[in-house]
Amino acid sequence: MLNFELYNPTNLVFGKGQMEKLGSLVPAGAKILLAYGGGSIFKNGIHEQVINNLKGHEIVEFAGIEANPHFETLMKAVAIVKEQKIDFILAVGGGSVIDGVKFISGAVNYKGDPIEILQKRILIKENAIPFGTVLTLPATGSEMNSGAVVTIEATKEKLAFGGSALFPKFSICDPSVIQSLPKRQLQNGVVDAYTHVMEQYLTYPHEGHLQDRIAEGILHTLIEVGPKVVEEPANYELASNFMWSCTMALNGLIQKGVPSDWATHMIGHEVTAMYGIDHARTLAVIAPSLYTVMFETKKGKLAQYGKRIFNLEGTDDEIAKEAINKTVEFFHIMGMDTKLSDYTKEYSNTADFIVSRFDERGWKGLGEKQNITLDKVKAIVEMSY
């Protein structure tokens, strides 16, 4: 097993009615920036609950954080935090709102140009504005990790960043909130979480046996509850297992001591930035092609995955190939199209554009063995057409 450090200071407050604890979780006397996206938190009553539980606090509201949060939008919030002398930020929303707040938190006291946090992947280790979250859409695990992704709209780049100062102080996670979500968002959440696990699991056989078993447990749970929760979001048993699986998929636990990939995400981010396709749906497009192009590298783990998750039998080659097919089948069950041509007809230069972007950034080798070279990226994207 690889050496690792495990640090996760987020106080996760999970279950029904936990919003009532919000007032005691926010620091006494804090001046709060309440950050959210569109109007859904007004329709489902979350906004009213938040305000009622923050009586006695001065609140400044900031709305309009996009589904793929824009650097340009977030910099407006940074200016407000500085002007209003905000002490604490509360993100109310899904992963995009929480990611946006992580950027705001780190950018306020950053000494240089905040765009460097994205372009140079600056680690934010200190001087961040403290923040908490009220999760309204399970998917990204951002409520219990220190990573985030933000889009620079001007250049159509979707870039990741993070740092130890960007863990939420607390996250309130009430599974009952999902009952008002559209099916598409629930489908996205399941597939996003599933792919998060796969990025940390589907590499090569190693000695992290417990990490594998925990990862497989999350995959099994998502396969079991995913299709059902889309149809029955008011079922608390389904909702709670779905929400906890999304958090566990990316709170850092299953990544410790083992290799990880993340190339599917890096390529998928570019597709989202180019075409505005939902993040989870770009993952469903890219992942099967990546597993196929990198088959020899990933064959051992694909075979393990096929045996343990889908109970497949045969030679390792046969099982590994069928495991990819079973993954595509699950994505289809979850309402995902798995070809880029299903989303846009303007895809012919996609591979060349992404390869050029990666080359400019110096991303010459991705994946767990850094062997997803630019020619492999091109092949993966073209296979995804």
Side-chain angles (χ1 to χ4, degrees):
M1 194 183 300
L2 304 175
N3 294 351
F4 67 89
E5 294 183 14
L6 176 59
Y7 173 74
N8 194 321
T10 300
N11 177 17
L12 194 86
V13 185
F14 188 97
K16 293 179 182 178
Q18 297 286 36
M19 187 77 82
E20 295 174 2
K21 297 180 179 177
L22 179 59
S24 64
L25 292 167
V26 173
K31 186 176 182 180
I32 301 168
L33 182 75
L34 175 58
Y36 49 89
S40 63
I41 66 168
F42 291 91
K43 295 175 185 175
N44 60 20
I46 298 296
H47 182 272
E48 183 180 4
Q49 291 180 46
V50 168
I51 296 298
N52 288 341
N53 283 284
L54 289 177
K55 287 178 179 176
H57 288 277
E58 186 177 352
I59 301 172
V60 177
E61 299 195 26
F62 183 81
I65 296 177
E66 300 87 356
N68 292 293
H70 292 176
F71 164 79
E72 294 84 352
T73 299
L74 302 175
M75 286 305 296
K76 296 176 184 176
V78 170
I80 292 171
V81 171
K82 292 179 177 180
E83 292 166 5
Q84 298 284 340
K85 296 182 169 54
I86 298 293
D87 303 307
F88 193 87
I89 309 172
L90 183 65
V92 181
S96 292
V97 172
I98 298 171
D99 281 9
V101 164
K102 287 178 181 179
F103 179 82
I104 298 164
S105 169
V108 170
N109 294 321
Y110 183 70
K111 299 303 182 185
D113 184 342
I115 203 169
E116 294 174 353
I117 297 171
L118 305 176
Q119 293 178 334
K120 298 182 179 180
R121 300 192 76 171
I122 302 294
L123 289 174
I124 305 299
K125 298 180 179 180
E126 58 185 0
N127 298 326
I129 302 296
F131 66 95
T133 88
V134 174
L135 183 66
T136 63
L137 171 60
T140 69
S142 195
E143 67 276 4
M144 200 181 179
N145 66 39
S146 61
V149 183
V150 163
T151 296
I152 304 174
E153 178 62 15
T155 57
K156 301 296 183 185
E157 293 177 280
K158 186 173 178 180
L159 300 172
F161 67 101
S164 56
L166 298 182
F167 283 99
K169 298 300 181 185
F170 65 82
S171 287
I172 295 176
C173 302
D174 181 346
S176 64
V177 302
I178 77 160
Q179 60 190 286
S180 63
L181 294 174
K183 283 187 177 182
R184 185 182 183 93
Q185 290 186 340
L186 293 169
Q187 292 168 335
N188 287 349
V190 172
V191 172
D192 197 6
Y194 196 92
T195 314
H196 287 159
V197 178
M198 294 288 275
E199 294 277 45
Q200 300 163 91
Y201 171 79
L202 198 66
T203 55
Y204 53 82
H206 52 69
E207 298 174 353
H209 305 310
L210 179 60
Q211 291 92 320
D212 271 2
R213 292 298 189 182
I214 297 172
E216 288 158 3
I218 301 169
L219 295 175
H220 274 300
T221 304
L222 289 169
I223 289 171
E224 179 182 353
V225 308
K228 298 175 185 176
V229 79
V230 172
E231 301 301 326
E232 304 176 58
N235 182 317
Y236 188 78
E237 177 187 346
L238 298 174
S240 56
N241 280 282
F242 164 49
M243 181 174 276
W244 185 224
S245 292
C246 291
T247 301
M248 282 292 291
L250 202 57
N251 66 1
L253 185 62
I254 63 173
Q255 190 171 11
K256 298 306 177 185
V258 301
S260 57
D261 186 344
W262 298 111
T264 297
H265 270 71
M266 296 299 98
I267 299 170
H269 287 165
E270 298 301 319
V271 177
T272 293
M274 289 176 72
Y275 301 113
I277 303 168
D278 301 5
H279 171 61
R281 292 167 196 267
T282 67
L283 301 180
V285 166
I286 298 299
S289 297
L290 187 144
Y291 305 151
T292 301
V293 171
M294 303 307 297
F295 185 80
E296 290 304 318
T297 294
K298 292 181 177 290
K299 181 169 62 176
K301 209 57 180 288
L302 277 165
Q304 177 182 311
Y305 167 64
K307 293 171 188 174
R308 294 186 182 181
I309 301 300
F310 300 111
N311 299 313
L312 300 176
E313 297 179 352
T315 67
D316 278 3
D317 273 64
E318 291 169 343
I319 293 170
K321 289 175 183 176
E322 183 59 19
I324 299 173
N325 294 334
K326 287 291 186 181
T327 305
V328 173
E329 184 181 308
F330 175 63
F331 289 162
H332 289 166
I333 290 170
M334 291 310 308
M336 301 287 121
D337 290 318
T338 50
K339 291 295 181 182
L340 186 56
S341 54
D342 294 323
Y343 296 97
T344 177
K345 302 306 177 188
E346 305 297 324
Y347 58 81
S348 60
N349 71 334
T350 306
D352 289 335
F353 184 83
I354 292 174
V355 167
S356 176
R357 272 279 168 89
F358 285 7
D359 191 31
E360 290 170 6
R361 296 177 193 149
W363 295 4
K364 307 290 188 180
L366 306 176
E368 64 271 19
K369 292 185 176 181
Q370 301 294 289
N371 62 348
I372 303 180
T373 52
L374 294 180
D375 61 318
K376 293 287 198 305
V377 171
K378 183 177 173 68
I380 290 164
V381 178
E382 289 180 341
M383 185 176 286
S384 302
Y385 291 169

